[in-house]
Amino acid sequence: MNKRQVQKQFTHEKIIAAAKQIFIEKGIINTATAQIAEAAGVAHGTLFLHFPNKDSLVIELLDVELAKFSDSIKKLIVETSDIVTILEQYLNLIQAEEGFFSSLARELPDYKAELRRKILFRESLLREHFYRVIEKGIEQNIYAKVDITSALTFLFGTINYYLSLKTSFVQEGSVIEKFKPSIIKTMRDLLLPA
Amino acid sequence: MNKRQVQKQFTHEKIIAAAKQIFIEKGIINTATAQIAEAAGVAHGTLFLHFPNKDSLVIELLDVELAKFSDSIKKLIVETSDIVTILEQYLNLIQAEEGFFSSLARELPDYKAELRRKILFRESLLREHFYRVIEKGIEQNIYAKVDITSALTFLFGTINYYLSLKTSFVQEGSVIEKFKPSIIKTMRDLLLPA
DNA sequence: CAACTCGGTGAGTGTGTACTCAGTAAAGGG
DNA sequence: CCCTTTACTGAGTACACACTCACCGAGTTG
């Protein structure tokens, strides 16, 4: 890579990093492209050399984050079959991206179809993984013969619900962190045989 | 009331009705004040004679709807103590306003603080009512000695979750209707002693 | 019925924002 | 060393939207 290409890629990454940061703080709709450019330390116009429009920027950012997240989940599920450990780690992952994905999820309906599809894909992926883990555990008599769908609905529903509270509890700290113990307790109660 | 006052009130109500209709269809942020005026059959400027700004219109509409909803819930809970009936009726109520409140809830984070507070108030009200019903039931040995908080988290979390799916399942029909049986089943399992 | 009140009108204004484009300077190539 | 290519710049454009205001005419009042 020559000097120009290096510079170009550097700028590209600066913009994405800045966008992620501001989106977490203010949400996507509330962030003007000019602000992203300013935060990235480039001219407003530069942004549109790297992305044809704001949506493309959001989608590329989402793709990158989704890939990271998906890899972490796969790794996690391959490495352990203990439901409590998986849950804990999973909640840690959610927590790390809490601001970004939850703000995205909340803006979803106002936003474009492709974003919606991506978020939904991510969720179906997670459900699928969990489903397999639990199913295998049941076969091996590790877990109780629960209604898997109910258990997963509880898990995802609860997380969704807590995240939706986020803007209300504006205090410092992670929403997931706060509710982690009760989520784990309930999932354990649901899954482990009495 | 003289002719002028009647006319004024009529216009006021026309605007609110039109606003509700369009908000359900397109969400609040995506609806321009000019469109509301057009749908109401009044001039754009007329809207601002009746409401100082768009937010006030939203808040008045929300107040009206909240009052209706709250009354229905109170009545429902006074009239019956059978949890399954209460749940069914409650889900019917949610369903009737599904479009309006769920679109509101989804836009919340982008929107103004007072709206957030009102939605939150509504939820705390509902939780409170349910809490009382279940608590009373437990005292009278009607329901299992469940962890009330978990049960309610499941209920509200799940409903929230299903509503968040709404824009994805754009097909006709109510989201709540679709998931009602599984919500009721799980709540019954949680609440009724084995 | 003349004078006045007041709800309604809609073209106009100000603002915020996504996106453009003519110009600039540094890098690359012959 | 000069010419071309290219990433970048930032003032400018187009547009959408909330909100205004000078004017109108029907309703009310004495």
Side-chain angles (χ1 to χ4, degrees):
Chain A
M1 276 214 305
N2 65 26
K3 214 168 171 182
R4 268 186 186 154
Q5 289 171 313
V6 170
Q7 176 59 34
K8 191 176 181 182
Q9 190 178 326
F10 181 61
T11 304
H12 196 90
E13 282 162 9
K14 266 199 305 183
I15 293 171
I16 288 200
K20 185 182 176 188
Q21 186 58 38
I22 305 190
F23 286 160
I24 288 174
E25 285 165 22
K26 310 186 16 176
I28 294 168
I29 293 173
N30 278 328
T31 301
T33 48
Q35 292 174 299
I36 298 171
E38 195 192 336
V42 299
H44 192 189
T46 304
L47 204 144
F48 293 92
L49 289 179
H50 287 266
F51 307 92
N53 50 50
K54 188 182 174 183
D55 279 13
S56 302
L57 167 57
V58 173
I59 288 171
E60 182 170 330
L61 175 53
L62 193 52
D63 275 337
V64 171
E65 297 296 314
L66 273 179
K68 281 192 216 160
F69 194 79
S70 180
D71 286 348
S72 308
I73 292 287
K74 267 185 210 149
K75 195 162 159 254
L76 168 63
I77 281 172
V78 167
E79 281 174 359
T80 175
S81 66
D82 170 44
I83 192 69
V84 173
T85 309
I86 290 179
L87 270 173
E88 255 166 18
Q89 296 290 330
Y90 173 65
L91 292 173
N92 286 344
L93 285 171
I94 294 276
Q95 191 177 325
E97 51 147 66
E98 189 170 314
F100 180 60
F101 276 121
S102 75
S103 80
L104 238 182
R106 278 185 267 113
E107 289 183 11
L108 267 185
D110 283 354
Y111 223 69
K112 306 294 158 30
E114 190 168 354
L115 291 183
R116 247 183 260 154
R117 248 177 280 125
K118 281 186 186 296
I119 288 278
L120 229 59
F121 167 73
R122 158 180 168 261
E123 263 204 20
S124 69
L125 200 96
L126 295 181
R127 275 181 176 263
E128 195 67 17
H129 284 153
F130 270 101
Y131 198 94
R132 293 274 153 69
V133 171
I134 296 173
E135 214 173 33
K136 215 173 65 185
I138 291 174
E139 277 168 22
Q140 298 168 2
N141 279 321
I142 297 174
Y143 305 134
K145 285 190 170 49
V146 295
D147 175 355
I148 302 180
T149 310
S150 285
L152 292 183
T153 299
F154 173 82
L155 178 62
F156 289 92
T158 307
I159 289 170
N160 232 298
Y161 178 65
Y162 289 149
L163 289 178
S164 79
L165 295 177
K166 197 183 177 207
T167 34
S168 320
F169 298 125
V170 197
Q171 301 98 325
E172 300 304 309
S174 158
V175 176
I176 292 296
E177 186 62 46
K178 201 166 173 179
F179 293 105
K180 209 195 265 181
S182 77
I183 295 177
I184 291 178
K185 181 184 174 306
T186 312
M187 280 300 282
R188 184 198 267 137
D189 288 352
L190 281 173
L191 288 176
L192 297 185
Chain B
M1 277 214 305
N2 64 25
K3 214 166 173 183
R4 269 186 185 154
Q5 289 170 313
V6 170
Q7 176 60 35
K8 190 176 181 181
Q9 190 178 324
F10 181 62
T11 304
H12 196 90
E13 282 160 12
K14 266 199 303 182
I15 294 171
I16 289 199
K20 185 181 174 188
Q21 186 59 37
I22 305 189
F23 287 160
I24 288 174
E25 285 164 20
K26 310 188 10 176
I28 294 168
I29 293 173
N30 279 327
T31 301
T33 49
Q35 291 174 300
I36 299 171
E38 194 192 337
V42 299
H44 192 189
T46 305
L47 204 145
F48 294 92
L49 288 178
H50 288 266
F51 308 92
N53 49 50
K54 188 181 175 183
D55 279 13
S56 302
L57 167 57
V58 173
I59 287 171
E60 182 170 329
L61 175 52
L62 192 52
D63 275 338
V64 172
E65 296 296 314
L66 273 178
K68 280 191 216 159
F69 194 80
S70 180
D71 286 350
S72 308
I73 292 287
K74 266 185 210 148
K75 194 163 160 255
L76 168 62
I77 282 170
V78 167
E79 281 174 0
T80 175
S81 64
D82 170 43
I83 193 68
V84 173
T85 308
I86 290 178
L87 271 173
E88 255 166 18
Q89 296 290 331
Y90 172 66
L91 293 174
N92 286 344
L93 285 171
I94 294 275
Q95 192 178 325
E97 51 148 66
E98 190 171 312
F100 180 60
F101 276 122
S102 74
S103 79
L104 237 181
R106 279 184 267 114
E107 290 183 13
L108 267 185
D110 283 353
Y111 221 68
K112 305 294 162 22
E114 189 168 353
L115 290 184
R116 248 183 257 152
R117 248 177 281 127
K118 280 185 187 296
I119 288 277
L120 230 57
F121 168 72
R122 158 180 171 261
E123 261 205 22
S124 69
L125 200 97
L126 295 181
R127 272 180 179 264
E128 195 69 16
H129 284 153
F130 268 105
Y131 199 94
R132 292 274 153 69
V133 170
I134 296 173
E135 213 173 35
K136 216 173 64 184
I138 291 174
E139 276 168 25
Q140 298 169 3
N141 281 321
I142 297 174
Y143 304 133
K145 284 190 170 52
V146 296
D147 175 356
I148 301 178
T149 311
S150 283
L152 291 183
T153 299
F154 171 82
L155 178 62
F156 289 94
T158 307
I159 290 170
N160 233 299
Y161 177 65
Y162 288 149
L163 289 178
S164 79
L165 295 177
K166 196 184 176 205
T167 35
S168 321
F169 298 125
V170 197
Q171 301 97 324
E172 299 306 309
S174 158
V175 176
I176 292 296
E177 186 62 46
K178 202 166 174 181
F179 293 104
K180 208 194 264 181
S182 76
I183 294 177
I184 290 178
K185 181 185 177 302
T186 312
M187 281 299 282
R188 184 198 268 138
D189 289 351
L190 281 172
L191 288 176
L192 296 185

